[in-house]
Amino acid sequence: MDVLRAAIQPITHNLPHQARDALIALLGDACYKTLLLDVDLADGACAKLAISKGLGIGIIGASAVVKIPQLLKLVNSQSSDGISFLSYLLETSAYLINLAYNYRHGFPFSTYGETALIAAQNVVISVLVLRFAGQTAAAGVFVAGLAAALYSLFDPSILTTKALGYAQMGAGALSVGSKVPQILAIWQQGGTGQLSAFAVFNYLVGSLSRIFTTLQEVDDPLILYGFIAGFALNAVLAAQMVYYWNAPTDKSKQRRAGNQIEDVAAGLTTGSSARKGPSTRRRG
């Protein structure tokens, strides 16, 4: 430890003031001094806080791209097979409530920042799902409704702190419920369709990490219970993703069967035409 301390302290004692201020804001004065100035890694409380902050920042960073593979699959396939709009509607609603609740209660941004980024990506995916389902007008209504709800959630004169607490209770149920339509859609269609494995497994890891960060930094059982329930259902989705890996959905099977029938019919027609063609054999 003395060797490590001797190697690190010349760096940590001469950090640029911008980096020093950012780390103090992240870890607090006491843990900044303990971990970076004194290089005392044996302090359990500060070590757990640093791990929690690192996980939180990692989750926020990953959340910026977690839904990009899903977006690309939708755009490239021009199909929303295997994706439940209701699931995205419920999840986005829960995220917006959670975002407002955390912000208005002054919790560290590292414990909830991903909700803003994922909610924005969810809105784009939901609009695409409706568009590919031929419901463009409904997509416009959806976006307008979310904008009005977001304004109300952040305005204390419209929604009091007490009322927001009740909404957060409902958000936990919405977050859990948002996974159920997707789970049922996969089960009914017999495949995951255009659902992104990258998003599913990142959700699983992220929800598990959020349980740890919430225990370390947020003294609020409403948020903790929501993450625990979310992790359980994310685990079910991940298990479905593994079980149905590469399995086509019922709609895909029907389209494939239809194409095969058309190919067979075309082949028969071609063969029949060839047999009925005029003969060049000279008669009598």
Side-chain angles (χ1 to χ4, degrees):
M1 180 62 71
D2 290 338
V3 175
L4 179 63
R5 186 177 293 111
I8 292 177
Q9 281 183 329
I11 300 173
T12 58
H13 280 256
N14 293 283
L15 290 172
H17 69 87
Q18 296 93 340
R20 184 177 63 251
D21 292 345
L23 288 169
I24 290 174
L26 189 67
L27 299 172
D29 289 318
C31 285
Y32 174 80
K33 179 179 183 300
T34 299
L35 296 176
L36 294 176
L37 298 182
D38 299 339
V39 193
D40 180 9
L41 304 181
D43 189 311
C46 285
K48 288 180 181 179
L49 177 63
I51 293 171
S52 177
K53 293 294 187 182
L55 284 173
I57 293 171
I59 292 170
I60 294 172
S63 71
V65 298
V66 69
K67 294 297 182 77
I68 298 302
Q70 183 67 81
L71 281 167
L72 293 177
K73 288 190 75 172
L74 278 168
V75 172
N76 292 334
S77 68
Q78 297 289 298
S79 168
S80 58
D81 286 355
I83 299 177
S84 167
F85 169 74
L86 178 59
S87 179
Y88 272 92
L89 172 63
L90 294 175
E91 182 181 70
T92 305
S93 301
Y95 275 2
L96 293 182
I97 295 170
N98 188 266
L99 177 64
Y101 181 84
N102 279 276
Y103 176 80
R104 286 175 56 176
H105 280 77
F107 294 137
F109 184 75
S110 62
T111 64
Y112 68 91
E114 75 278 2
T115 57
L117 297 174
I118 295 177
Q121 293 170 78
N122 277 355
V123 171
V124 178
I125 290 173
S126 299
V127 169
L128 288 176
V129 169
L130 289 173
R131 180 175 172 232
F132 294 146
Q135 301 180 40
T136 305
V141 174
F142 167 71
V143 173
L146 285 182
L150 188 62
Y151 179 81
S152 301
L153 288 167
F154 277 87
D155 190 340
S157 65
I158 297 177
L159 193 68
T160 65
T161 301
K162 184 177 181 179
L164 184 59
Y166 291 132
Q168 177 62 26
M169 292 182 190
L174 284 176
S175 182
V176 172
S178 69
K179 309 296 180 185
V180 175
Q182 185 64 72
I183 291 170
L184 292 176
I186 293 172
W187 177 72
Q188 290 170 352
Q189 296 186 20
T192 55
Q194 302 306 317
L195 189 64
S196 166
F198 178 81
V200 170
F201 288 111
N202 269 273
Y203 264 39
L204 181 65
V205 175
S207 58
L208 179 60
S209 300
R210 272 295 171 229
I211 293 173
F212 178 79
T213 62
T214 303
L215 286 170
Q216 294 302 315
E217 300 184 62
V218 179
D219 185 18
D220 193 317
L222 288 178
I223 296 176
L224 176 62
Y225 298 154
F227 282 129
I228 293 173
F231 171 74
L233 290 178
N234 282 331
V236 174
L237 275 173
Q240 286 184 312
M241 183 63 69
V242 172
Y243 182 77
Y244 290 113
W245 197 265
N246 289 331
T249 62
D250 290 342
K251 289 183 179 179
S252 298
K253 292 176 182 177
Q254 291 171 3
R255 282 198 297 268
R256 187 178 302 171
N259 291 336
Q260 290 174 346
I261 292 172
E262 290 176 0
D263 291 342
V264 171
L268 291 174
T269 302
T270 302
S272 175
S273 299
R275 286 193 298 271
K276 292 180 180 179
S279 173
T280 57
R281 186 176 61 187
R282 299 181 64 180
R283 299 183 180 181

